[in-house]
Amino acid sequence: MTRILMVCLGNICRSPLAHGILESKLNNQLFYVDSAGTAAYHVGNKPDHRSIQVALNNDIDISTQSARQFKVSDFDTFDFIYAMDSSNYNNIISLARNNEDLGKVKLFLEENTQISNKNVPDPYYGDISDFEYVFDIIEATSTIMAKKLQKTNI
Ligand code: 4NP
């Protein structure tokens, strides 16, 4: 089993989308995908209604997800930890205990060479079009990741 964790700030907008979209593209017997936030503001909450809506428009149901905070033991549980932006990345690596932990952490958009800005923009204070844009770049990147992951897991 390969375990992948998606991390943003609140775990209600971006990482729930990355979690749901990548999960929908992988064999769930071989891959476990989860998400977390570096902050605790929304712990226990469902994803933002706009993330739920843009996912549903694409036949992905993320409404049963519940926000949680990133914890140090996630370095033990997960093989790959993807930060949605550089601020999330810095917050995660500040908790790393050793080089093995550090080596697991990457910016999510590093997996997509076609996008030059490596930060998934925070759509929280935006409108539905910002969420649609976030969905689109996460979807494109997850397609690339799923192909790569499945090649290494046959
Ligand atoms: P996320 O978006 O990190 O993509 O879940 C945010 C959600 C909540 C807040 C900021 C960003 N907030 O400040 O409450």
Side-chain angles (χ1 to χ4, degrees), residues 7-16 36-39 41-42 48 50-51 84-85 88 120-125 131 134:
V7 183
C8 62
L9 175 62
N11 192 209
I12 56 165
C13 298
R14 293 164 292 178
S15 61
T38 57
Y41 317 134
H42 298 281
D48 186 282
R50 297 161 295 179
S51 283
M84 293 297 119
D85 68 28
N88 313 143
V120 179
D122 181 352
Y124 187 60
Y125 294 104
F131 281 79
V134 164

Side-chain angles (χ1 to χ4, degrees), residues 12-148:
I12 56 165
C13 298
R14 293 164 292 178
S15 61
L17 282 171
H19 170 179
I21 294 168
L22 184 65
E23 187 175 65
S24 76
K25 296 178 185 292
L26 293 172
N27 178 341
N28 300 136
Q29 313 259 322
L30 300 177
F31 296 93
Y32 173 70
V33 186
D34 193 15
S35 61
T38 57
Y41 317 134
H42 298 281
V43 167
N45 293 356
K46 287 204 294 193
D48 186 282
H49 65 96
R50 297 161 295 179
S51 283
I52 292 176
Q53 188 58 52
V54 295
L56 262 190
N57 293 346
N58 293 275
D59 297 320
I60 296 170
D61 181 8
I62 62 167
S63 67
T64 59
Q65 292 184 27
S66 169
R68 72 168 178 88
Q69 190 172 21
F70 180 83
K71 50 186 191 284
V72 171
S73 63
D74 287 324
F75 288 116
D76 301 319
T77 308
F78 292 92
D79 304 294
F80 301 104
I81 298 170
Y82 284 105
M84 293 297 119
D85 68 28
S86 56
S87 163
N88 313 143
Y89 178 86
N90 289 333
N91 286 328
I92 298 165
I93 62 165
S94 73
L95 298 172
R97 301 157 298 185
N98 50 45
N99 281 341
E100 195 187 343
D101 289 354
L102 282 176
K104 293 183 175 188
V105 190
K106 236 177 150 178
L107 274 173
F108 177 74
L109 290 179
E110 294 290 351
E111 298 292 346
N112 189 338
T113 55
Q114 286 168 346
I115 296 178
S116 52
N117 180 347
K118 296 303 174 191
N119 295 306
V120 179
D122 181 352
Y124 187 60
Y125 294 104
D127 61 25
I128 195 72
S129 67
D130 298 292
F131 281 79
E132 282 162 352
Y133 176 70
V134 164
F135 181 94
D136 289 346
I137 58 177
I138 291 176
E139 147 77 21
T141 306
S142 299
T143 299
I144 295 166
M145 287 173 70
K147 277 194 192 131
K148 192 166 131 187

